[in-house]
Amino acid sequence: MTPSGAYVHIPFCARKCGYCDFNAYSGYKDGTKAQYVKALCQEIEISSPNFGGGGGLQTVFFGGGTPTQLPAEALTQILALLPLAPGAEVSLEANPADADERYLALLREAGFNRISFGVQTFNDGLLKLIDREHTGDDAKVALTHARAAGFENLSLDLMFGLPRQTVADFERTLATALELDVPHLSIYGLIVEEGTPFFARRERGKLPLPAESAEATMFARALERAQAAGLKRYEISNYAKPGFTCRHNRLYWRNESYHGFGAGATGYLGGERRVNIRRPSAYIEAALGGKPLTCEQEQLTLEETMGETMMLGLRLAEGIDLEAFSRRFGVRAEERWATIIATLTAQGLVESVGDHLRLTEPKGLFLASEAMSAFL
């Protein structure tokens, strides 16, 4: 597949959250950030002959870290190097505290047309507990600024299962988000990853997490309230009004090819997964010195690619398009994994609807990891 999307990684944060295991760093000076932009532009320019297709990229996603730790002019400079197709979706992850109206207006003028604000919760006490530097009011103001700057495609990231979070706390955050009438919500459960400060605190018995039953209730409330408000669930953790699904993330869930630029960025090209050097300083040195940027490289076999396509496709509400899978790989998924599909169906985790295989609701959603991992 010719890649139709590109992911651009900005690894800087004002402060790294205790739960974060992404390739993100705090404490870098403005001079280093400027050098990073120069290195990133160098990588994109060298890669430009491989964009292919001729029609330009359909989606671009700036993630992090916190992309809004860079000046708007720097983000504009990077975006200008990426060939965009007409109507391309250009997304940016943003910290609510960084987003004043002038900054957002510059981004909108440059071609960014979708913003995802990392709100997590509107409870200021919980925000402090998870190391976020904005307040609930900051998030509301940022949304007002984004709309004034001309952004219509807006998303809020919310989290449940946070330390000391109650079901009532989460319901208040959810109600606030729905009152703000954004067309897209991403609602994720906290996962405590090994190597993070939260993991160390949990090991010491110092991380007061909600009970699993409370987490399950929060997930159920999100599913119920978001859909009642007109945001249809289109992926396990994502809800959108008609026409506002995240097109870029669909590339991942359909296991399609995409470019990856920046420190620690992953690209998936021609069945080969490549990961860039992670440390910003090492990435800058390599890029500006004309050295290879790839630190990991893996050519997936057909069997591995098919398994990942099944696993990722089950994340989507419509599930896996079995006819499209057959056209792509020349294999009938329902025959290749007949025993696994029969077992998962008997367990009530998946179901066949027309020419799609999908997770059941709610049981399959609650046990999604178990169902998806069966195909790997």
Side-chain angles (χ1 to χ4, degrees):
M1 291 185 176
T2 299
S4 61
Y7 172 76
V8 180
H9 190 70
I10 309 299
F12 308 113
C13 286
R15 180 184 182 187
K16 188 167 181 177
C17 300
Y19 58 81
C20 179
D21 74 331
F22 295 154
N23 190 52
Y25 308 85
S26 60
Y28 277 92
K29 305 295 184 184
D30 288 347
T32 303
K33 292 177 183 178
Q35 285 294 96
Y36 182 81
V37 172
K38 185 177 179 181
L40 182 54
C41 290
Q42 176 89 346
E43 182 189 6
I44 293 172
E45 287 176 330
I46 290 173
S47 301
S48 59
N50 299 319
F51 284 136
L57 297 167
Q58 296 290 335
T59 68
V60 176
F61 195 103
F62 282 65
T66 310
T68 49
Q69 280 288 292
L70 293 182
E73 293 80 2
L75 295 172
T76 297
Q77 179 185 355
I78 298 164
L79 180 60
L81 296 175
L82 296 165
L84 301 179
E89 174 193 88
V90 185
S91 300
L92 178 82
E93 290 183 336
N95 180 354
D98 297 335
D100 64 46
E101 189 172 338
R102 178 185 176 279
Y103 184 96
L104 293 171
L106 289 172
L107 295 179
R108 185 68 191 90
E109 185 179 349
F112 289 89
N113 53 29
R114 182 179 183 274
I115 291 189
S116 177
F117 286 111
V119 174
Q120 317 315 350
T121 174
F122 287 96
N123 181 320
D124 288 349
L126 289 179
L127 286 168
K128 288 182 180 178
L129 197 61
I130 62 174
D131 304 321
R132 303 294 291 181
E133 298 210 326
H134 68 273
T135 66
D137 284 343
D138 287 338
K140 296 174 187 177
V141 170
L143 197 59
T144 299
H145 287 332
R147 284 173 164 149
F151 285 94
E152 298 177 359
N153 196 347
L154 295 162
S155 178
L156 303 182
D157 282 0
L158 306 177
M159 294 181 73
F160 62 87
L162 299 172
R164 301 192 188 282
Q165 188 179 42
T166 65
V167 172
D169 282 329
F170 176 68
E171 287 186 318
R172 284 191 287 271
T173 277
L174 190 57
T176 300
L178 293 173
E179 287 168 7
L180 292 170
D181 195 30
V182 292
H184 189 284
L185 292 177
S186 296
I187 308 175
Y188 301 102
L190 172 68
I191 298 175
V192 180
E193 300 283 5
E194 188 170 357
T196 63
F198 271 27
F199 183 86
R201 286 170 57 186
R202 188 180 68 180
E203 293 298 287
R204 298 195 306 269
K206 301 292 185 181
L207 193 67
L209 296 172
E212 285 188 15
S213 58
E215 276 199 71
T217 300
M218 293 178 202
F219 181 54
R221 292 284 190 278
L223 187 65
E224 171 190 337
R225 303 284 167 81
Q227 296 196 135
L231 282 83
K232 183 179 179 182
R233 182 185 67 81
Y234 70 96
E235 189 268 346
I236 289 175
S237 303
N238 286 273
Y239 305 79
K241 292 181 180 180
F244 288 95
T245 61
C246 181
R247 288 157 49 193
H248 182 83
N249 283 342
R250 279 187 173 273
L251 294 178
Y252 304 148
W253 299 323
R254 290 174 175 162
N255 204 23
E256 296 177 2
S257 295
Y258 57 92
H259 298 278
F261 300 114
T266 297
Y268 183 52
L269 306 168
E272 183 178 73
R273 186 173 291 121
R274 303 175 188 173
V275 182
N276 275 351
I277 296 167
R278 292 179 172 82
R279 276 276 173 189
S281 54
Y283 168 85
I284 291 168
E285 181 181 356
L288 298 184
K291 299 175 184 176
L293 297 177
T294 302
C295 69
E296 295 177 23
Q297 200 164 334
E298 179 187 15
Q299 183 69 50
L300 275 68
T301 65
L302 177 62
E303 191 72 15
E304 289 168 334
T305 303
M306 291 194 300
E308 289 193 1
T309 302
M310 293 293 289
M311 177 195 72
L312 293 166
L314 280 178
R315 295 192 63 92
L316 291 165
E318 73 263 26
I320 300 150
D321 184 331
L322 298 172
E323 291 300 321
F325 185 96
S326 179
R327 289 193 300 271
R328 179 175 173 181
F329 296 109
V331 173
R332 301 295 308 184
E334 59 270 45
E335 295 174 4
R336 167 62 184 80
W337 288 283
T339 302
I340 290 174
I341 291 172
T343 300
L344 294 175
T345 301
Q347 293 172 342
L349 300 183
V350 302
E351 61 185 355
S352 296
V353 180
D355 58 359
H356 285 70
L357 180 74
R358 69 184 188 189
L359 294 172
T360 58
E361 189 177 315
K363 185 176 182 180
L365 289 179
F366 282 105
L367 298 173
S369 294
E370 180 179 328
M372 294 187 299
S373 63
F375 294 94
L376 292 181

